[in-house]
Amino acid sequence: MKRSCLEIARQKCESCMGCALSNSRSNVVFGEGNPSSAKIVFIGEAPGEMEDECGRPFVGRAGQLMDEFLADAGISRDNDIYMINTVKCRPPENRVPSEEEKAACHKFLVAQIDIIKPDAIVLCGATALKTFVELDKKQTISKVRGKWMTVTVDGVEYPAMTIFHPSYLLRNNSMEEGSPRRLMQQDLAEIKNKFLNNKSENFFETKEMAMV
C-alpha cells in the first residue's frame, strides 16, 4: 500500500511545473528507501548534480560520505530509512532553494511523510530544519543538532533530530573529539539506539523534547 501510494505521489511530482526549477531539471529526485520497513525519514536540502543526473537522492560525494557514516552506525540505507529532500529538483549551481521553490514542493514532502508514517524524522542541515522550525538569529545548526524536538507534519507529531548535512562534513575532515564528524557519529548512534534497536516504549512518554 505504501509503495503504491508513493508511486502515485512520484508520478504527480514528476509532472510538476510548480516552480522554475522544473525548467532546468534533468530528473525529479523523489526519494529512496524501503517504505515498508523504514522507521526513519531523512530529509536533506535539494538534489545536486549527480542526483539530478540519475534521479536518486544522496548519491554525490556528500551522499557517499553519508553512506559511510550510516554503515558505521549500523543503519541500513536500504531498509531502515527513507531518504528525501526538501525540494525535488536541483537548484542551479546547487544554491539553497528559495522559499517559493520550497513552497511548491512542500505538498510532496508532506505526502511522503504522511504515507511512510515514520517513527522519527532526521533533518539534515539548515534548509531541512528551517522547513519545519523557525529559528532566531542565535540558533545555529551547531547549537540545535543532536537534540530531540517535536515537529508537526499535517497535524501529526513526530520526534525529530537535526544533524549536520554531509556536505558540511566534506569541508571538515577532523575526527577529533567535538569535531563535526565525531558529533555526526554520536548523533547517528543516538538515533539508532532510540529507534532501530527494537525498543517498544513510547518515545513521547520517555523523552522530554522541545515542542516546535
Side-chain angles (χ1 to χ4, degrees):
M1 178 63 73
K2 289 184 179 181
R3 287 185 184 276
S4 59
C5 289
L6 281 171
E7 184 56 32
I8 292 171
R10 179 194 296 274
Q11 291 173 8
K12 292 182 178 179
C13 187
E14 288 177 344
S15 62
C16 177
M17 304 293 287
C19 75
L21 295 183
S22 62
N23 298 322
S24 58
R25 71 187 179 214
S26 297
N27 286 290
V28 166
V29 182
F30 185 71
E32 186 172 86
N34 185 337
S36 300
S37 62
K39 293 184 176 181
I40 303 171
V41 167
F42 274 63
I43 305 176
E45 179 176 284
E49 182 178 9
M50 290 188 65
E51 288 82 4
D52 178 60
E53 289 177 358
C54 69
R56 297 177 55 210
F58 288 92
V59 294
R61 289 179 60 222
Q64 293 167 17
L65 181 60
M66 173 67 91
D67 286 348
E68 294 177 14
F69 276 94
L70 290 172
D72 288 344
I75 298 174
S76 170
R77 172 168 172 156
D78 294 331
N79 296 304
D80 293 333
I81 65 177
Y82 195 88
M83 305 187 83
I84 61 180
N85 279 306
T86 303
V87 299
K88 314 305 181 186
C89 301
R90 181 195 180 196
E93 305 300 323
N94 294 347
R95 62 164 171 76
V96 175
S98 69
E99 292 302 315
E100 178 187 6
E101 292 158 357
K102 289 170 61 177
C105 253
H106 193 68
K107 59 182 178 291
F108 299 115
L109 178 65
V110 170
Q112 289 172 307
I113 297 171
D114 280 348
I115 293 167
I116 295 168
K117 294 180 173 61
D119 292 342
I121 293 172
V122 174
L123 305 168
C124 305
T127 298
L129 174 62
K130 292 176 182 178
T131 298
F132 299 97
V133 179
E134 185 174 346
L135 300 179
D136 62 41
K137 294 181 179 180
K138 295 181 180 179
Q139 290 177 300
T140 63
I141 288 293
S142 296
K143 291 184 177 180
V144 302
R145 55 129 294 273
K147 299 177 182 178
W148 290 108
M149 64 181 72
T150 299
V151 297
T152 301
V153 182
D154 204 18
V156 179
E157 293 181 345
Y158 295 93
M161 179 186 286
T162 301
I163 63 174
F164 291 121
H165 194 283
S167 62
Y168 176 70
L169 302 183
L170 288 173
R171 305 188 295 272
N172 294 270
N173 295 319
S174 173
M175 288 298 295
E176 294 182 0
E177 189 68 29
S179 67
R181 292 197 179 206
R182 285 293 293 274
L183 294 174
M184 175 70 107
Q185 287 181 328
Q186 295 172 21
D187 293 345
L188 292 178
E190 166 76 3
I191 292 163
K192 176 178 171 55
N193 181 57
K194 292 297 181 186
F195 292 101
L196 299 175
N197 282 343
N198 298 315
K199 294 192 173 185
S200 59
E201 67 265 22
N202 187 313
F203 187 80
F204 288 101
E205 294 177 355
T206 58
K207 186 74 175 180
E208 184 176 335
M209 295 177 290
M211 300 297 292
V212 178

